[in-house]
Each structure stands twice: as C-alpha cells, then as structure tokens.
Amino acid sequence: SETAGTVTVLDTATRKAVGVIRLPEKSRPMGTAMTAGGKALFVANGPSGDVSGVDTAAAKEVARVKVGRGPWGAAGVPASG
C-alpha cells in the first residue's frame, strides 16, 4: 500500500495474502521487482527518492539506496550467461 508504507505478501499457490511487510516510516512503495529466485524484492519508493531491498524470507527491509528523484517503478533483468 502506497499510503500505509507496506507490501503485501502473497502465496502464489493459493493466490491469497499471507502477510504484510512494513517498510520504515515515510516509505511510499510504488513499484516492485523480485529476483528470479524470489529471495529479494526491490521496492521503488517514489516520493522519497530511494529503493528498499527486502529479504523475503525475513520479511523485512535490509537495505535502502538513494537513487534520485522519483523512482516510480522497478524491473528485473535476467542474468546473462
């Protein structure tokens, strides 16, 4: 939820919400991208100009990187090789 600063955890098998990850205060999640293995989620926090790195197993933010003005989305790119 952009306004609540949360990311909802979904069970892909049942397609049901199974939890909520709360990001730090003033986070406004706008777009997400998950790693291929599903171990990490990157969340673009548009208004605050940063991206959160979330450990999906621990269901918590483990890093935050300033990226500049208005990151509104995120995208994953497959590894080459």
Side-chain angles (χ1 to χ4, degrees), residues 28-51:
R28 297 209 31 215
M30 305 297 285
T32 62
M34 186 170 296
T35 59
K39 293 183 180 184
L41 177 71
F42 298 96
V43 182
N45 300 307
S48 57
D50 53 36
V51 173

Side-chain angles (χ1 to χ4, degrees), residues 1-7 20-29:
S1 164
E2 176 189 350
T3 56
T6 60
V7 176
V20 173
I21 298 170
R22 296 201 179 280
L23 297 175
E25 188 175 335
K26 296 187 181 178
S27 295
R28 297 209 31 215

Side-chain angles (χ1 to χ4, degrees), residues 77-81:
V77 178
S80 60

